Amino acid sequence: MFGMGFFELVVVVVVAIIFLGPDKFPQAMLDLARFFRAVKKTLNDAKESLDKEIHIEELKKEALEYQELLKQQAKPLGDLKQELENIPQMPEVQDLQESVKSLAKSNPLESLNAPELEIKQAEKPKVSLEKTPKSPPRCLKI
């Protein structure tokens, strides 16, 4: 520890016992242990926060890379959108639309002579549900 051997540590402990006395030495050792524990906890917290910051920076960098990739992939889609918007203005499409309109006006289906089907009217039912029956229903007596 701190480049000191066992013999040096024994000398420091003996000097501390002589300087502090046997009554204050145990309390001083507890205070020293608490101090080292607090220092260790502070260093661990600093290390964790630094690791989080580094991880956040990595995530930001990765997000920016994905954003750039999406922008590069979106460029061909924008060109495709422009091409799709220009389709109605193409002369071939306009000619096709005009021919469809002229076919719709002439309606070739009307020129076919389809035989007319005779529709028979359904006969009226013999039983009417509008009138009530003349005789009361028969009931079984028990």
Side-chain angles (χ1 to χ4, degrees):
M1 178 171 129
F2 302 116
M4 295 174 28
F6 180 73
F7 182 71
E8 288 92 5
L9 286 176
V10 171
V11 170
V12 170
V13 170
V14 169
V15 170
I17 291 173
I18 294 171
F19 182 70
L20 295 174
D23 296 334
K24 294 182 183 178
F25 181 71
Q27 185 63 36
M29 294 307 288
L30 289 174
D31 291 341
L32 188 64
R34 286 185 192 135
F35 173 74
F36 281 122
R37 204 174 296 141
V39 168
K40 184 178 178 182
K41 183 180 178 186
T42 304
L43 289 174
N44 285 338
D45 289 344
K47 181 183 173 190
E48 287 178 15
S49 65
L50 183 64
D51 288 343
K52 285 181 185 177
E53 287 295 324
I54 289 172
H55 186 67
I56 288 173
E57 289 298 322
E58 289 174 358
L59 289 176
K60 285 180 181 179
K61 182 188 270 187
E62 189 175 333
L64 289 174
E65 288 174 2
Y66 280 124
Q67 185 179 14
E68 188 65 32
L69 180 66
L70 286 175
K71 284 180 182 178
Q72 290 174 357
Q73 296 297 327
K75 287 180 183 178
L77 292 177
D79 296 340
L80 181 63
K81 182 181 177 184
Q82 283 182 335
E83 289 178 18
L84 289 175
E85 289 173 352
N86 293 336
I87 284 178
Q89 299 170 357
M90 296 175 76
E92 296 88 6
V93 174
Q94 291 175 351
D95 292 341
L96 183 63
Q97 286 176 345
E98 290 173 7
S99 61
V100 167
K101 286 179 184 177
S102 66
L103 284 175
K105 288 180 183 176
S106 65
N107 197 358
L109 294 178
E110 289 181 359
S111 63
L112 296 176
N113 291 327
E116 295 182 12
L117 299 174
E118 294 182 17
I119 300 174
K120 296 182 180 178
Q121 291 183 351
E123 295 179 13
K124 291 184 180 179
K126 293 179 181 177
V127 178
S128 175
L129 298 175
E130 295 175 357
K131 297 180 183 177
T132 57
K134 294 181 182 177
S135 62
R138 295 183 189 173
C139 296
L140 295 174
K141 294 183 181 179
I142 300 175

